[in-house]
């Protein structure tokens, strides 16, 4: 069964600090891995998509890494802002790429 | 820039009642999806469509029906609502399939079944 596990479940950091969120997956055959940001009461918004051959992808202050050998990904947030407070969801696509397996998310809170 | 619009935003039903959730996208996307999001679980695919007039079952299709009569609209129906269908429902659409398939999500419909 395809599974995506994220850690930590929740995280509180001070504004301006960096943080790293983790994602482990058991999905076969692997197609791509995505990170989404979901603000409270809103739908998820795509941050990055990485295929098998890509091991790093950046989007502003967000940098995602992928290790396809160990089936792990991380999302690093630099110089956090209050607006980064959200749930960050790791999503892995198998096979043709149309069906996604979603993690349960890491709830990040950035405080002053 | 409307993107993906879901109506209604909130709804409370009694067990056994029926309702239809509407999803509309203005990006001319071929693919549309309905998900549900429950506490402690990742989003799960209910049904999806790869084009006008087509629908297919996802991971948790039981108790739901869908229709895609127009390319821009994807309807999710609950014929006889049950408390287990209390959830937040998200619609999404995408232009492509495969590795470059970016799904754009609506803001969600929060449904409570009493």
């Amino acid at each position: 069964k395809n599974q995506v596990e994220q850690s930590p479940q929740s995280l509180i950091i001070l504004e301006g600090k960096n943080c790293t969120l983790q994602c482990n997956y058991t999905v076969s055959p692997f197609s791509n891995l995505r990170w989404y940001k979901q603000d409270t009461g809103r739908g998820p918004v795509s941050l990055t998509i990485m295929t098998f051959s890509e091991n790093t992808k950046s989007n502003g202050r967000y940098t995602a890494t992928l290790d396809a050998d160990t089936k792990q990904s991380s999302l690093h947030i630099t110089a956090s802002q209050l607006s980064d407070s959200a749930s960050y969801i790791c999503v892995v696509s198998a096979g043709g790429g149309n069906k996604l397996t979603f993690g349960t998310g890491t709830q990040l809170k950035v405080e002053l | 820039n409307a993107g993906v619009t879901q109506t209604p935003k909130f709804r409370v039903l009694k067990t056994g009642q029926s309702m239809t959730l509407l999803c509309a996208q203005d990006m001319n996307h071929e693919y549309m999806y309905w998900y549900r999001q429950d506490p402690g679980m990742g989003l799960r695919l209910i049904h999806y469509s790869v084009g006008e007039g087509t629908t297919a079952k996802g991971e948790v299709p039981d108790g739901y029906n869908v229709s895609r009569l127009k390319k821009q609209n994807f309807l999710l129906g609950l014929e006889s609502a049950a408390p287990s269908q209390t959830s937040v429902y998200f619609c999404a659409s995408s232009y492509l399939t495969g590795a470059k398939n970016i799904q754009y999500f609506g803001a969600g419909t929060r449904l409570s079944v009493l």
Side-chain angles (χ1 to χ4, degrees):
Chain A
K1 181 181 178 182
N2 292 336
Q3 287 188 317
V4 176
E5 296 184 352
Q6 294 186 242
S7 61
Q9 192 171 22
S10 62
L11 182 62
I12 301 174
I13 63 173
L14 295 176
E15 187 181 29
K17 298 297 185 182
N18 304 335
C19 68
T20 300
L21 314 180
Q22 301 291 341
C23 173
N24 295 333
Y25 63 91
T26 53
V27 173
S28 182
F30 177 84
S31 175
N32 58 78
L33 184 144
R34 309 133 184 258
W35 283 93
Y36 278 85
K37 178 187 180 188
Q38 184 176 19
D39 293 314
T40 300
R42 306 300 297 272
V45 174
S46 178
L47 293 175
T48 63
I49 296 180
M50 290 180 290
T51 59
F52 184 87
S53 60
E54 299 171 301
N55 54 24
T56 302
K57 186 72 75 77
S58 292
N59 179 357
R61 294 179 296 102
Y62 301 103
T63 299
T65 63
L66 172 65
D67 186 334
D69 291 333
T70 61
K71 299 185 178 180
Q72 295 180 325
S73 176
S74 65
L75 180 69
H76 186 72
I77 304 175
T78 303
S80 61
Q81 301 176 358
L82 296 178
S83 59
D84 292 330
S85 295
S87 178
Y88 291 84
I89 303 173
C90 177
V91 186
V92 183
S93 173
N98 223 11
K99 296 185 181 178
L100 310 177
T101 301
F102 289 76
T104 55
T106 291
Q107 189 68 44
L108 174 65
K109 185 175 182 181
V110 181
E111 296 182 335
L112 289 172
Chain B
N1 293 337
V4 178
T5 303
Q6 292 183 232
T7 54
K9 288 182 170 52
F10 303 94
R11 186 72 185 270
V12 178
L13 291 178
K14 294 181 180 179
T15 297
Q17 287 185 318
S18 63
M19 77 163 295
T20 300
L21 284 67
L22 172 63
C23 177
Q25 53 94 3
D26 62 1
M27 296 174 282
N28 201 34
H29 286 171
E30 289 292 335
Y31 303 88
M32 297 188 74
Y33 316 82
W34 275 107
Y35 293 92
R36 60 178 290 172
Q37 186 175 39
D38 300 295
M41 303 184 73
L43 274 79
R44 292 180 292 169
L45 183 65
I46 304 171
H47 285 280
Y48 65 101
S49 169
V50 300
E52 181 179 318
T54 72
T55 63
K57 293 181 180 180
E59 181 185 356
V60 288
D62 294 342
Y64 305 95
N65 57 76
V66 288
S67 64
R68 183 102 181 266
L69 298 180
K70 293 183 179 180
K71 185 178 183 179
Q72 64 268 33
N73 295 337
F74 195 28
L75 278 62
L76 178 70
L78 286 73
E79 290 186 348
S80 179
S84 61
Q85 293 178 305
T86 294
S87 187
V88 182
Y89 292 86
F90 287 99
C91 175
S93 71
S94 66
Y95 178 63
L96 295 172
T97 186
K100 298 302 181 184
N101 168 19
I102 297 177
Q103 293 190 10
Y104 295 86
F105 285 81
T109 294
R110 188 173 297 273
L111 174 66
S112 292
V113 183
L114 306 178

